[in-house]
């Protein structure tokens, strides 16, 4: 059974001043299996934010279901919502959501404190995560003392520490410079491959989309395309109409294939580098 199932999701808003009805989502259906890495993309206004709010139980759909472990989270009572999110869903946002008056260690510990974990348990959870993310040397620093990429690693550590069923990344690299984006994308892929973590990433970053296993493209509140990254990137004309591009790595790969250096296209930069190294 799928870890997360979205069934016939529909969301209609009524505008505040004109009282017009706006359909933000229409008949959205997809599933995410345990250990799967799914990317959701689409131009502004495609319904990504509405979908995220429903998945986060911050908003309720007009109709349809969101099942996590078979439980419909759209019917959870307001009293249960906070605990349910904390126990099952992890969110990494673009603006890091760290408290400047807490050092990085305490920022990571905060969700565990809210879950009433004891200090020995928190310390035990943090040590391997800090080592894996390479943040051992900045735990006693404060968020304002470190770079954007390091802040995002601290935010990811806080989510990993609570051991959620699924981690949702919401434009998590959009505030970073190219080097920071590449670093975080590599870290997300590493976590997925080594820890079999279930990831749902809502993103505009094509390099991040390229490293996923399954891609969902939203357009006007509906699923316009779905498939592997390469399945999606092959449909360049459709993407262009939605003001979406293909990854830079795929552009390089296509040019090298045209020159008969590559036999087939790849869409991740590490795959391009690996192929070039093999040529030597």
């Amino acid at each position: 059974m799928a870890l997360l199932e979205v069934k016939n999701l529909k969301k209609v808003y009524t505008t505040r001043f004109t009282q017009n009805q706006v359909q933000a989502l229409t008949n959205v259906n997809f599933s995410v299996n345990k250990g799967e890495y799914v990317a959701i993309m689409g131009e502004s206004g495609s319904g990504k934010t509405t979908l995220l709010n429903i998945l986060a139980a911050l908003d309720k759909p007009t109709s349809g279901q969101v099942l996590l472990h078979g439980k419909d989270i759209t019917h959870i009572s307001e009293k249960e919502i906070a605990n349910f999110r904390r126990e099952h869903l992890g969110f990494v946002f673009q603006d890091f959501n760290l408290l400047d008056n807490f050092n990085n260690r305490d920022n990571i510990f905060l969700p565990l404190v809210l879950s009433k974990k004891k200090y020995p348990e928190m310390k035990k959870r943090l040590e391997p995560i800090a080592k894996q993310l390479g943040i051992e040397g900045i735990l006693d620093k404060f968020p304002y003392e470190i770079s954007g990429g390091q802040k995002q690693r601290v935010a990811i550590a806080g989510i990993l520490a609570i051991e959620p069923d699924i981690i949702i990344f919401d434009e998590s690299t959009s505030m970073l410079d190219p080097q920071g984006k590449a670093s975080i994308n590599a870290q997300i892929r590493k976590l997925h491959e080594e820890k079999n973590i279930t990831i749902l990433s809502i993103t505009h970053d094509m390099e991040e989309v390229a490293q996923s296993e399954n891609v969902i493209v939203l357009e006007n509140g509906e699923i316009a395309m779905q498939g592997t990254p390469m399945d999606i990137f092959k449909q360049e004309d459709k993407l262009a109409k939605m003001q979406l591009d293909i990854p830079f790595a795929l552009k390089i790969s296509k040019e090298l294939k045209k020159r008969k250096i590559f036999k087939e296209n790849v869409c991740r930069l590490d795959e391009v580098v690996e192929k070039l190294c093999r040529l030597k």
Side-chain angles (χ1 to χ4, degrees):
M1 188 173 71
L3 174 63
L4 175 71
E5 293 179 275
V6 175
K7 296 185 175 182
N8 305 314
L9 207 62
K10 177 182 176 182
K11 180 63 179 180
V12 178
Y13 289 107
T14 301
T15 58
R16 182 180 299 178
F17 299 111
T18 62
Q19 298 300 300
N20 291 332
Q21 288 199 327
V22 177
Q23 191 149 324
L25 294 174
T26 304
N27 196 35
V28 173
N29 291 274
F30 67 90
S31 62
V32 179
N33 294 321
K34 182 174 174 56
E36 191 176 9
Y37 185 165
V38 176
I40 297 178
M41 58 187 277
E43 62 183 322
S44 296
S46 62
K48 298 192 306 296
T49 300
T50 301
L51 178 58
L52 171 68
N53 288 339
I54 292 172
L55 295 178
L58 296 170
D59 196 3
K60 292 188 181 296
T62 303
S63 61
Q65 295 177 299
V66 178
L67 305 174
L68 186 63
H69 286 307
K71 181 174 183 178
D72 191 350
I73 69 174
T74 65
H75 292 150
I76 296 175
S77 70
E78 292 298 324
K79 187 180 288 187
E80 295 177 288
I81 286 278
N83 283 337
F84 180 85
R85 276 196 216 101
R86 195 158 47 236
E87 291 175 9
H88 299 285
L89 303 171
F91 293 90
V92 180
F93 300 98
Q94 59 182 325
D95 55 1
F96 317 124
N97 281 2
L98 301 177
L99 301 176
D100 275 341
N101 56 332
F102 281 23
N103 67 23
N104 296 318
R105 187 192 311 276
D106 289 339
N107 266 289
I108 295 168
F109 281 164
L110 184 58
L112 294 172
V113 171
L114 294 174
S115 297
K116 298 180 180 178
K117 301 296 182 186
K118 301 296 183 183
Y119 180 76
E121 172 67 15
M122 294 192 294
K123 186 172 180 290
K124 181 181 177 182
R125 290 193 187 191
L126 174 58
E127 286 175 355
I129 293 170
K131 184 176 181 180
Q132 185 173 21
L133 292 173
I135 58 172
E136 297 161 292
I138 61 169
L139 293 176
D140 293 319
K141 292 186 176 182
F142 289 81
Y144 57 80
E145 297 179 298
I146 61 177
S147 70
Q150 289 173 320
K151 287 179 185 178
Q152 201 60 288
R153 287 172 186 263
V154 171
I156 292 170
I159 297 305
L160 290 175
I162 62 175
E163 300 175 351
D165 295 317
I166 185 167
I167 300 179
I168 299 176
F169 290 87
D170 178 26
E171 302 287 0
S172 57
T173 63
S174 64
M175 302 287 283
L176 303 178
D177 59 29
Q179 185 176 356
K181 283 185 180 183
S183 176
I184 293 300
N185 283 340
Q187 194 63 59
I188 293 171
R189 187 173 70 250
K190 185 178 178 182
L191 288 170
H192 170 65
E193 291 173 350
E194 294 183 0
K195 299 290 187 181
N196 198 36
I197 292 171
T198 308
I199 293 173
L200 183 61
S201 177
I202 297 172
T203 182
H204 276 101
D205 184 355
M206 293 301 112
E207 311 305 324
E208 188 175 343
V209 172
Q211 69 185 20
S212 67
E213 296 168 326
N214 189 23
V215 183
I216 296 166
V217 184
L218 290 178
E219 183 181 26
N220 298 322
E222 299 182 74
I223 294 180
M225 292 186 275
Q226 187 169 1
T228 67
M230 196 60 82
D231 289 337
I232 302 301
F233 295 142
K234 284 177 182 176
Q235 303 179 64
E236 285 189 63
D237 290 342
K238 285 186 179 180
L239 291 174
K241 287 178 182 178
M242 288 184 270
Q243 299 180 31
L244 299 171
D245 201 358
I246 63 173
F248 180 64
L250 180 54
K251 293 178 182 179
I252 296 173
S253 176
K254 290 178 72 172
E255 183 60 32
L256 292 172
K257 185 182 177 186
K258 191 187 298 182
R259 298 184 187 190
K260 302 187 185 303
I261 297 172
F262 282 3
K263 291 181 180 179
E264 70 280 325
N265 287 320
V266 293
C267 58
R268 281 177 15 200
L269 191 56
D270 62 311
E271 292 174 324
V272 172
V273 172
E274 183 182 349
K275 278 183 168 291
L276 288 172
C277 289
R278 284 179 182 174
L279 291 174
K280 293 182 178 181

Short mmCIF file of all heavy atoms in Angstrom, two decimals, residues 204-233:
data_model
loop_
_atom_site.label_atom_id
_atom_site.label_comp_id
_atom_site.label_asym_id
_atom_site.label_seq_id
_atom_site.Cartn_x
_atom_site.Cartn_y
_atom_site.Cartn_z
N HIS A 204 10.80 24.72 -8.17
CA HIS A 204 11.00 25.29 -9.50
C HIS A 204 12.38 24.90 -10.04
O HIS A 204 12.71 25.18 -11.19
CB HIS A 204 10.96 26.84 -9.42
CG HIS A 204 9.57 27.40 -9.47
ND1 HIS A 204 8.91 27.83 -8.35
CD2 HIS A 204 8.73 27.60 -10.51
CE1 HIS A 204 7.71 28.29 -8.70
NE2 HIS A 204 7.58 28.15 -9.99
N ASP A 205 13.20 24.29 -9.18
CA ASP A 205 14.59 23.99 -9.52
C ASP A 205 14.66 22.72 -10.36
O ASP A 205 14.43 21.62 -9.86
CB ASP A 205 15.39 23.83 -8.22
CG ASP A 205 16.88 23.60 -8.47
OD1 ASP A 205 17.28 23.47 -9.64
OD2 ASP A 205 17.64 23.55 -7.48
N MET A 206 14.98 22.87 -11.64
CA MET A 206 15.00 21.73 -12.54
C MET A 206 16.09 20.71 -12.18
O MET A 206 15.96 19.52 -12.46
CB MET A 206 15.19 22.19 -13.99
CG MET A 206 14.02 22.96 -14.55
SD MET A 206 12.46 22.02 -14.52
CE MET A 206 11.55 22.92 -13.29
N GLU A 207 17.18 21.20 -11.58
CA GLU A 207 18.24 20.26 -11.17
C GLU A 207 17.72 19.36 -10.04
O GLU A 207 18.08 18.18 -9.95
CB GLU A 207 19.49 21.03 -10.70
CG GLU A 207 19.96 22.12 -11.65
CD GLU A 207 20.21 21.63 -13.07
OE1 GLU A 207 20.68 20.50 -13.23
OE2 GLU A 207 19.94 22.40 -14.01
N GLU A 208 16.88 19.92 -9.18
CA GLU A 208 16.28 19.12 -8.10
C GLU A 208 15.27 18.14 -8.68
O GLU A 208 15.20 16.98 -8.27
CB GLU A 208 15.61 20.05 -7.08
CG GLU A 208 15.12 19.32 -5.84
CD GLU A 208 14.55 20.26 -4.79
OE1 GLU A 208 14.81 21.49 -4.85
OE2 GLU A 208 13.86 19.77 -3.90
N VAL A 209 14.47 18.60 -9.63
CA VAL A 209 13.50 17.72 -10.30
C VAL A 209 14.23 16.54 -10.95
O VAL A 209 13.77 15.39 -10.89
CB VAL A 209 12.69 18.50 -11.37
CG1 VAL A 209 11.84 17.55 -12.20
CG2 VAL A 209 11.81 19.55 -10.70
N ALA A 210 15.39 16.81 -11.55
CA ALA A 210 16.14 15.78 -12.28
C ALA A 210 16.58 14.63 -11.39
O ALA A 210 16.78 13.51 -11.88
CB ALA A 210 17.35 16.41 -12.96
N GLN A 211 16.76 14.88 -10.10
CA GLN A 211 17.25 13.82 -9.23
C GLN A 211 16.12 13.01 -8.57
O GLN A 211 16.37 12.04 -7.86
CB GLN A 211 18.16 14.40 -8.15
CG GLN A 211 17.47 15.26 -7.11
CD GLN A 211 18.48 15.89 -6.16
OE1 GLN A 211 19.66 16.00 -6.45
NE2 GLN A 211 18.00 16.28 -5.00
N SER A 212 14.87 13.37 -8.86
CA SER A 212 13.74 12.63 -8.30
C SER A 212 13.50 11.35 -9.11
O SER A 212 14.13 11.11 -10.13
CB SER A 212 12.48 13.50 -8.29
OG SER A 212 12.07 13.77 -9.62
N GLU A 213 12.56 10.54 -8.65
CA GLU A 213 12.21 9.30 -9.34
C GLU A 213 10.91 9.44 -10.15
O GLU A 213 10.73 8.78 -11.16
CB GLU A 213 12.04 8.16 -8.33
CG GLU A 213 13.33 7.83 -7.61
CD GLU A 213 13.11 6.92 -6.41
OE1 GLU A 213 12.06 7.04 -5.74
OE2 GLU A 213 14.00 6.10 -6.13
N ASN A 214 10.03 10.29 -9.65
CA ASN A 214 8.74 10.49 -10.30
C ASN A 214 8.41 11.97 -10.25
O ASN A 214 8.67 12.63 -9.23
CB ASN A 214 7.66 9.67 -9.59
CG ASN A 214 6.35 9.65 -10.35
OD1 ASN A 214 6.31 9.86 -11.56
ND2 ASN A 214 5.26 9.43 -9.64
N VAL A 215 7.88 12.51 -11.33
CA VAL A 215 7.59 13.94 -11.41
C VAL A 215 6.11 14.15 -11.72
O VAL A 215 5.54 13.46 -12.57
CB VAL A 215 8.43 14.63 -12.51
CG1 VAL A 215 8.17 16.13 -12.53
CG2 VAL A 215 9.91 14.34 -12.32
N ILE A 216 5.51 15.10 -11.01
CA ILE A 216 4.12 15.51 -11.26
C ILE A 216 4.15 16.97 -11.69
O ILE A 216 4.70 17.82 -10.98
CB ILE A 216 3.26 15.34 -10.00
CG1 ILE A 216 3.17 13.86 -9.61
CG2 ILE A 216 1.86 15.93 -10.21
CD1 ILE A 216 2.63 13.61 -8.22
N VAL A 217 3.58 17.26 -12.85
CA VAL A 217 3.54 18.63 -13.36
C VAL A 217 2.11 19.14 -13.26
O VAL A 217 1.19 18.56 -13.86
CB VAL A 217 4.02 18.72 -14.82
CG1 VAL A 217 4.05 20.18 -15.28
CG2 VAL A 217 5.42 18.10 -14.95
N LEU A 218 1.92 20.22 -12.50
CA LEU A 218 0.59 20.83 -12.36
C LEU A 218 0.42 21.98 -13.33
O LEU A 218 1.34 22.75 -13.58
CB LEU A 218 0.40 21.35 -10.93
CG LEU A 218 0.26 20.33 -9.80
CD1 LEU A 218 0.14 21.04 -8.46
CD2 LEU A 218 -0.95 19.43 -10.01
N GLU A 219 -0.78 22.10 -13.87
CA GLU A 219 -1.13 23.23 -14.73
C GLU A 219 -2.60 23.56 -14.49
O GLU A 219 -3.47 22.70 -14.63
CB GLU A 219 -0.91 22.90 -16.21
CG GLU A 219 -1.19 24.07 -17.14
CD GLU A 219 -0.99 23.72 -18.60
OE1 GLU A 219 -1.12 22.52 -18.94
OE2 GLU A 219 -0.70 24.63 -19.38
N ASN A 220 -2.86 24.80 -14.09
CA ASN A 220 -4.23 25.25 -13.82
C ASN A 220 -4.97 24.32 -12.86
O ASN A 220 -6.15 24.01 -13.04
CB ASN A 220 -5.02 25.38 -15.12
CG ASN A 220 -4.43 26.41 -16.07
OD1 ASN A 220 -3.96 27.46 -15.63
ND2 ASN A 220 -4.44 26.12 -17.35
N GLY A 221 -4.24 23.85 -11.84
CA GLY A 221 -4.86 23.03 -10.80
C GLY A 221 -5.06 21.57 -11.16
O GLY A 221 -5.65 20.82 -10.38
N GLU A 222 -4.58 21.15 -12.32
CA GLU A 222 -4.71 19.76 -12.73
C GLU A 222 -3.34 19.15 -13.01
O GLU A 222 -2.39 19.88 -13.28
CB GLU A 222 -5.57 19.65 -13.99
CG GLU A 222 -7.00 20.16 -13.83
CD GLU A 222 -7.81 19.98 -15.09
OE1 GLU A 222 -8.19 18.81 -15.38
OE2 GLU A 222 -8.07 20.98 -15.78
N ILE A 223 -3.26 17.82 -12.96
CA ILE A 223 -2.02 17.15 -13.32
C ILE A 223 -1.94 17.10 -14.85
O ILE A 223 -2.74 16.43 -15.51
CB ILE A 223 -1.95 15.73 -12.72
CG1 ILE A 223 -1.86 15.82 -11.19
CG2 ILE A 223 -0.73 14.99 -13.27
CD1 ILE A 223 -1.79 14.48 -10.49
N ALA A 224 -0.97 17.83 -15.39
CA ALA A 224 -0.80 17.91 -16.84
C ALA A 224 0.11 16.81 -17.36
O ALA A 224 -0.07 16.31 -18.48
CB ALA A 224 -0.24 19.28 -17.23
N MET A 225 1.11 16.46 -16.57
CA MET A 225 2.06 15.41 -16.96
C MET A 225 2.52 14.67 -15.71
O MET A 225 2.56 15.24 -14.62
CB MET A 225 3.29 16.01 -17.66
CG MET A 225 3.04 16.61 -19.00
SD MET A 225 4.60 17.15 -19.81
CE MET A 225 4.79 18.77 -19.09
N GLN A 226 2.88 13.42 -15.90
CA GLN A 226 3.42 12.63 -14.80
C GLN A 226 4.31 11.53 -15.36
O GLN A 226 3.98 10.91 -16.37
CB GLN A 226 2.29 12.01 -13.96
CG GLN A 226 2.77 11.32 -12.69
CD GLN A 226 1.62 10.95 -11.76
OE1 GLN A 226 0.47 11.20 -12.06
NE2 GLN A 226 1.94 10.38 -10.61
N GLY A 227 5.47 11.31 -14.74
CA GLY A 227 6.38 10.27 -15.20
C GLY A 227 7.76 10.47 -14.62
O GLY A 227 7.95 11.26 -13.68
N THR A 228 8.74 9.76 -15.17
CA THR A 228 10.12 9.94 -14.71
C THR A 228 10.62 11.31 -15.16
O THR A 228 10.03 11.92 -16.08
CB THR A 228 11.03 8.86 -15.31
OG1 THR A 228 11.11 9.06 -16.73
CG2 THR A 228 10.51 7.46 -15.00
N PRO A 229 11.70 11.82 -14.56
CA PRO A 229 12.23 13.10 -15.01
C PRO A 229 12.48 13.14 -16.52
O PRO A 229 12.11 14.11 -17.19
CB PRO A 229 13.53 13.24 -14.22
CG PRO A 229 13.27 12.51 -12.95
CD PRO A 229 12.43 11.33 -13.36
N MET A 230 13.08 12.09 -17.08
CA MET A 230 13.37 12.10 -18.51
C MET A 230 12.09 12.06 -19.34
O MET A 230 12.01 12.70 -20.39
CB MET A 230 14.29 10.94 -18.88
CG MET A 230 14.93 11.10 -20.24
SD MET A 230 15.95 12.60 -20.40
CE MET A 230 17.48 12.03 -19.65
N ASP A 231 11.06 11.35 -18.86
CA ASP A 231 9.77 11.34 -19.55
C ASP A 231 9.23 12.77 -19.67
O ASP A 231 8.69 13.16 -20.72
CB ASP A 231 8.73 10.51 -18.78
CG ASP A 231 9.01 9.01 -18.83
OD1 ASP A 231 9.69 8.58 -19.78
OD2 ASP A 231 8.53 8.30 -17.94
N ILE A 232 9.38 13.53 -18.61
CA ILE A 232 8.86 14.90 -18.57
C ILE A 232 9.72 15.83 -19.43
O ILE A 232 9.20 16.62 -20.23
CB ILE A 232 8.81 15.43 -17.12
CG1 ILE A 232 7.92 14.53 -16.25
CG2 ILE A 232 8.33 16.88 -17.09
CD1 ILE A 232 6.50 14.39 -16.71
N PHE A 233 11.04 15.72 -19.28
CA PHE A 233 11.94 16.64 -19.99
C PHE A 233 11.93 16.44 -21.50
O PHE A 233 12.32 17.33 -22.25
CB PHE A 233 13.36 16.52 -19.44
CG PHE A 233 13.48 16.94 -18.00
CD1 PHE A 233 14.32 16.25 -17.13
CD2 PHE A 233 12.78 18.03 -17.50
CE1 PHE A 233 14.45 16.64 -15.80
CE2 PHE A 233 12.89 18.42 -16.18
CZ PHE A 233 13.73 17.72 -15.33
#
